Amino acid sequence: MKVIDHINNRKGPLFSFEIVPPPRGRTVQDIFDIINALVPFKPSWIDVTAHSASAYYNERADGTVQRRIYKKRPGTIGICGIIQNRFNIDTVGHLLCNGFTKEETEDALIELNFLGVQNILAVRGDGLNYKKNIAKDRSVNLYASDLVSQMSSIKRGLYLDELSLARPLNFCVGVAGYPEKHFESPSLKQDLFYLKKKVELGAEYIMTQMFFDNQKYFDFVAACRAEGITVPIIPGIKILKTKNQLQSIPSNFYIDLPDELVEEALKNPEHIPAIGIRWAQQQVEGLLKADVPDVHFYIMNDTELVVDVIKKFRQ
Ligand code: FAD
């Protein structure tokens, strides 16, 4: 089932989750453990993030340096297939511009379609730390809007090459939105201009970057509506777990943490997980009161805290 149909047909609150593929070297048991922990809470769908390759440097004993380019977390498509077909839970496969050619994206869409996955989140990704050699006859998507455009074409049966037996692929496409503005954008207005473009090119819903202050989400939704963006805007939240995150969340995601949360966490660092759970429960309460389409949890494969948050809302 598509994300948009889950939203339109919902009878009560929906909860969805984002997981990341386990690091290279781990096994599928990691996925089984995560999904088994989430199943009792009836996920409306599960997102699986995508990762481009990075360059890693290894200094050998003789002083020479070896450069290897690989994905630390491969497996997005396979994991979507497992969750979709073994657990019968709808999945959203993330696909990126950065690090992938349009041809690779087309192949990924075909594979996801064969696996019964009906949802894609189209995101740009962040800068590569190496220069990917792109063959002269290959092309790339620069922005997420280009990716959405490619997906809309394939939904009409328009592949990169004209194929006589081509059939349209049927996907619901979502895109990312930033209540606190994307860090590269000079202004929120400019960011919303490009967000609207993604919707005009075919995105059916927006998934937000995490936020810890619901007012930022409500203001963002109002600003989107004022710009004429009418698709559902799904709030994404994360549960604070460690003292380190007081620094790493703002620096990695370019968002603010509310003073009240920071002060309480610094006063009682040993109780941060409990503080994080209580804060997230308050956020969920406020969001459900506002009848949001779904509450999405960024769990980074850590199911312990989210289970504690959500059991208050799902018996
Ligand atoms: P875009 O929509 O392309 O926007 C990027 C920036 O360019 C913005 O500042 C925008 O205003 C500007 N812009 C857009 N179009 C144009 C244009 N035509 N001309 C000039 N400027 C333009 N990263 C991963 O690597 N893997 C994931 O699985 C992943 N999942 C994510 C899920 C969510 C819900 C979110 C919020 C982020 C996710 N990210 C992921 C991170 C994401 O890749 C980064 O935030 C990235 O910097 C921007 O991606 P985007 O799709 O929003 O980019």
Side-chain angles (χ1 to χ4, degrees):
M1 193 163 153
K2 292 177 172 177
V3 163
I4 195 68
D5 295 328
H6 278 284
I7 293 172
N8 289 339
N9 299 334
R10 74 189 195 280
K11 303 244 157 24
L14 300 186
F15 296 106
S16 61
F17 305 90
E18 180 185 287
I19 67 166
V20 298
R24 183 178 287 273
R26 302 287 305 177
T27 71
V28 73
Q29 188 59 45
D30 287 16
I31 301 299
F32 294 160
D33 293 345
I34 297 163
I35 307 305
N36 280 325
L38 297 175
V39 162
F41 302 100
K42 301 186 185 68
S44 40
W45 65 81
I46 293 179
D47 277 57
V48 184
T49 60
H51 300 266
S52 42
S54 296
Y56 298 92
Y57 296 88
N58 177 26
E59 193 171 340
R60 300 190 185 100
D62 64 3
T64 57
V65 174
Q66 180 196 34
R67 186 176 87 142
R68 291 245 303 113
I69 294 173
Y70 62 92
K71 288 185 193 178
K72 227 176 182 173
R73 293 178 182 272
T76 305
I77 295 178
I79 295 168
C80 284
I82 291 166
I83 301 173
Q84 190 74 51
N85 296 300
R86 188 179 169 124
F87 290 89
N88 225 350
I89 297 173
D90 287 314
T91 48
V92 180
H94 292 198
L95 291 182
L96 303 177
C97 304
N98 287 357
F100 297 86
T101 62
K102 286 188 186 179
E103 290 73 15
E104 288 165 329
T105 297
E106 186 168 288
D107 291 350
L109 288 167
I110 292 168
E111 283 179 49
L112 287 163
N113 176 263
F114 285 166
L115 289 167
V117 175
Q118 295 185 43
N119 302 288
I120 310 287
L121 194 85
V123 281
R124 188 195 66 180
D126 288 313
L128 300 181
N129 70 349
Y130 72 100
K131 185 161 175 7
K132 179 169 167 142
N133 292 323
I134 307 283
K136 280 206 170 63
D137 58 351
R138 296 284 181 252
S139 49
V140 292
N141 291 306
L142 280 183
Y143 291 103
S145 51
D146 304 322
L147 199 50
V148 175
S149 194
Q150 183 182 2
M151 290 171 190
S152 292
S153 295
I154 218 166
K155 281 168 77 172
R156 299 198 304 275
L158 301 173
Y159 289 68
L160 294 171
D161 296 306
E162 226 172 85
L163 303 172
S164 56
L165 296 175
R167 294 282 178 274
L169 299 185
N170 191 5
F171 287 111
C172 170
V173 176
V175 290
Y178 301 82
E180 298 177 58
K181 185 179 87 55
H182 185 260
F183 70 101
E184 290 166 20
S185 190
S187 69
L188 182 63
K189 197 162 175 67
Q190 185 79 357
D191 209 17
L192 294 185
F193 173 82
Y194 290 119
L195 181 57
K196 189 173 180 188
K197 186 169 169 195
K198 293 193 274 195
V199 173
E200 285 168 349
L201 287 168
E204 290 178 74
Y205 71 94
I206 295 164
M207 179 67 75
T208 76
Q209 180 58 282
M210 66 185 74
F211 55 86
F212 286 80
D213 174 355
N214 284 357
Q215 194 54 47
K216 299 217 158 127
Y217 166 78
F218 296 134
D219 292 347
F220 177 67
V221 173
C224 288
R225 301 304 181 225
E227 293 297 326
I229 299 171
T230 56
V231 296
I233 301 175
I234 300 169
I237 67 170
K238 184 174 174 68
I239 307 160
L240 185 71
K241 185 177 183 182
T242 66
K243 193 174 170 198
N244 276 351
Q245 288 175 333
L246 295 175
Q247 258 107 45
S248 66
I249 289 174
S251 67
N252 291 338
F253 301 105
Y254 305 91
I255 62 166
D256 277 342
L257 296 177
D259 291 341
E260 192 190 329
L261 175 61
V262 174
E263 276 160 29
E264 198 181 344
L266 288 176
K267 240 187 259 161
N268 307 287
E270 68 285 10
H271 294 132
I272 287 180
I275 294 168
I277 289 171
R278 192 165 29 78
W279 190 272
Q281 284 178 335
Q282 282 168 12
Q283 280 197 271
V284 173
E285 257 158 25
L287 293 167
L288 293 182
K289 226 163 132 194
D291 194 27
V292 296
D294 168 271
V295 179
H296 189 70
F297 291 93
Y298 293 106
I299 65 170
M300 284 295 292
N301 301 0
D302 183 350
T303 52
E304 209 181 306
L305 295 194
V306 78
V307 162
D308 278 339
V309 168
I310 214 169
K311 66 187 177 200
K312 180 168 178 188
F313 305 95
R314 273 244 201 286
Q315 301 313 322

